[in-house]
Amino acid sequence: MTVALVLFTQDLRLHDNPALHAALAEAEEVVPLFVLEDGPAHFAAPNRAAFLADCLADLDSGLRARGGRLVVRHGDAVTQTVGLARRTDAVAVHLAAGVSGYAQRREARLRAALGDRLRVHDAVLTALAPGAVTPAGKDHYAVFTPYLRAWRQAERRRPLPAPGAVRVPEGIEGVGPAVVEPSSPGLARGGEGVGRKLWQHWAVERYEELHDDLAADGTSRLSPYLHFGCLSATELSHSAARRGGEGAEAFVRQLVWRDFHHQVLAARPDAAHADYRPRGDHWHRDPAELAAWQEGRTGYPIVDAGMRQLAHEGWMHNRARLLTASFLAKTLYQDWRLGAAHFLALLVDGDVANNQLNWQWVAGTGTDTRPNRVLNPLVQAKRFDPDGAYVRRWVPELAGIPGAAVHRPWLLDRRPRNYPEPIVDLGVGRFQRARGSR
């Protein structure tokens, strides 16, 4: 019997999984392997560890329904994979290509140990592989709009079906993932089955209309399932294109943003912690202000609502991510890395490429061509939560204040006694003073 291994990483699904598909085509028996490690930031936080446990259980259930099972090991991914490949005399080890510095080092170590038996598959974690399109004379796109044009013109693979049967060799031991208590009580359940149902029932046709409406909660909420690979970006982009309409087009554009950030990080792994475009910032340090931001106690209700949603759900509306990040990096003028670390500690979809590079975009150190952009929280509240429903949902101290008045509680005759005063006067913020401009 010929045997192949599939090392699952961030592709925890049966549908449209090129690595699994290729292994089944190459060998009579396949070992579906996942290694639980202490190191990867993708899975380390309690929210992501709890979601991961759901994903692995769902993947194992799907494999068992097809005659197989998932083999889970603890330890170093390379050591466990190479040892299992030698024990089973595997003809190949299949792996989805990653983009982070960690993923690139893991692949290099596997290549050194396995040689040409390692099969690395592109366009598994993204719809278009990093490096598949590049501008003349450069290794990646640094501006989104040209990348979007190239992405639309590029040839992309077709989605693959889920396997009908999976045969696993006898005598391969594994362990169950540890049960982890999430940090956020409202954390969503993980797994391919949950993700596919969410996609099927989500009204993508209204996405263009509702995606910035904080109270409507009209976004897909698919980002955790994309992060863990429970859903395929390739399959979603094809499915959205079939549905058609402005909503589907706007959703695909967000998938392209995701691919864009992945191709930036693949080319510049140090952008996970270093300024992509240094601007000479001298960040302000104030631990008390940072703590107030983290706890949703800044005195600006729209900012506090976003931070409290993050704490409760381990997820935050995209518009809220932008305005809360801008408040920290531009209004308080604190280092974007502090905000990115807090987000990664809680976000169930805490993806290194998307989280770090979106933070850099907001902070003005990333790919944005307008580094002086500042999102005023009061303007954002008026535009995206005009009646205050989002704030009243997440800031119960203000739930009794009707309409737009909830965004400026300091102007009320009877101020809420259990809600803080603003920690900073918007006016001309620290960022503008540092840059000498408005």
Side-chain angles (χ1 to χ4, degrees):
M1 286 282 185
T2 55
V3 176
L5 267 66
V6 180
L7 177 58
F8 286 88
T9 54
Q10 287 179 266
D11 55 335
L12 305 180
R13 64 180 184 267
L14 298 177
H15 292 80
D16 191 43
N17 191 320
L20 177 61
H21 187 86
L24 291 168
E26 185 173 23
E28 297 165 285
E29 295 182 326
V30 169
V31 180
L33 174 67
F34 185 88
V35 181
L36 288 162
E37 297 185 277
D38 294 330
H42 315 304
F43 306 132
N47 282 342
R48 290 194 294 284
F51 195 91
L52 172 63
D54 288 345
C55 296
L56 296 179
D58 184 86
L59 180 58
D60 180 61
S61 177
L63 287 166
R64 289 181 183 277
R66 292 161 171 82
R69 59 188 174 88
L70 181 66
V71 177
V72 177
R73 295 282 183 89
H74 286 274
D76 176 69
V78 174
T79 301
Q80 291 291 338
T81 302
V82 172
L84 200 51
R86 289 172 177 163
R87 175 181 167 184
T88 59
D89 196 21
V91 297
V93 172
H94 294 264
L95 171 72
V99 301
S100 68
Y102 174 84
Q104 292 181 36
R105 292 189 296 273
R106 177 181 60 203
E107 182 181 323
R109 290 177 59 206
L110 286 168
R111 180 75 64 193
L114 297 169
D116 60 7
R117 285 194 295 163
L118 181 65
R119 314 274 199 272
V120 179
H121 299 268
D122 291 326
V124 181
L125 311 185
T126 55
L128 190 66
V133 293
T134 55
K138 298 181 179 179
D139 60 356
H140 73 290
Y141 279 91
V143 179
F144 176 71
T145 301
Y147 178 77
L148 174 63
R149 289 195 294 265
W151 190 97
R152 285 171 171 164
Q153 295 169 3
E155 183 177 350
R156 296 183 297 281
R157 65 176 183 81
R158 305 296 300 180
L160 299 167
V166 179
R167 182 172 181 176
V168 179
E170 297 291 336
I172 306 297
E173 307 87 5
V175 298
V179 177
V180 179
E181 190 69 25
S183 303
S184 301
L187 188 73
R189 297 302 302 269
E192 182 178 12
V194 176
R196 293 185 74 82
K197 288 179 181 177
L198 192 59
W199 168 246
Q200 290 163 7
H201 292 104
W202 176 55
V204 69
E205 64 274 6
R206 300 197 65 194
Y207 181 67
E208 175 66 9
E209 171 193 354
L210 297 176
H211 74 279
D212 269 331
D213 187 331
L214 286 163
D217 198 14
T219 61
S220 70
R221 288 184 174 257
L222 295 177
S223 53
Y225 305 92
L226 281 164
H227 171 64
F228 284 88
C230 305
L231 294 176
S232 155
T234 294
E235 186 178 9
L236 290 184
S237 65
H238 280 280
S239 179
R242 286 195 302 271
R243 294 192 194 186
E246 291 184 354
E249 184 177 341
F251 175 70
V252 171
R253 184 183 176 91
Q254 294 306 308
L255 293 176
V256 181
W257 265 111
R258 182 175 181 270
D259 280 9
F260 172 75
H261 284 145
H262 278 74
Q263 59 95 40
V264 172
L265 189 66
R268 299 289 184 273
D270 65 342
H273 53 81
D275 290 346
Y276 180 82
R277 288 178 172 152
R279 307 285 184 183
D281 288 291
H282 298 284
W283 303 105
H284 177 73
R285 294 181 61 86
D286 190 321
E289 286 186 353
L290 175 64
W293 176 83
Q294 292 171 331
E295 296 164 8
R297 303 285 296 172
T298 69
Y300 287 95
I302 195 71
V303 174
D304 295 341
M307 298 306 293
R308 295 187 194 189
Q309 181 182 24
L310 171 62
H312 182 79
E313 294 190 346
W315 183 89
M316 196 197 306
H317 191 288
N318 184 60
R319 175 54 55 177
R321 298 187 197 207
L322 291 174
L323 68 90
T324 56
S326 180
F327 188 83
L328 182 74
K330 291 297 180 69
T331 302
L332 300 181
Y333 199 36
Q334 298 220 24
D335 195 330
W336 65 266
R337 281 160 279 252
L338 298 174
H342 182 71
F343 272 27
L344 277 181
L346 291 173
L347 282 174
V348 66
D349 60 9
D351 183 277
V352 173
N354 293 322
N355 186 66
Q356 309 303 89
L357 290 171
N358 272 317
W359 266 96
Q360 292 223 45
W361 186 91
V362 169
T365 63
T367 61
D368 187 16
T369 56
R370 293 174 54 194
N372 295 330
R373 179 190 287 108
V374 180
L375 302 182
N376 183 303
L378 298 179
V379 174
Q380 294 285 300
K382 183 177 180 180
R383 289 183 62 189
F384 303 116
D385 189 31
D387 187 50
Y390 178 73
V391 164
R392 282 187 289 276
R393 184 182 306 158
W394 292 109
V395 187
E397 307 97 295
L398 307 179
I401 302 174
V406 75
H407 294 303
R408 300 172 186 258
W410 56 87
L411 297 180
L412 298 174
D413 291 334
R414 298 182 63 181
R415 300 182 184 184
R417 284 183 290 181
N418 57 346
Y419 186 71
E421 293 290 316
I423 63 173
V424 65
D425 183 357
L426 291 180
V428 178
R430 296 191 182 109
F431 170 75
Q432 288 95 331
R433 291 201 299 272
R435 296 291 171 86
S437 63
R438 287 185 178 270

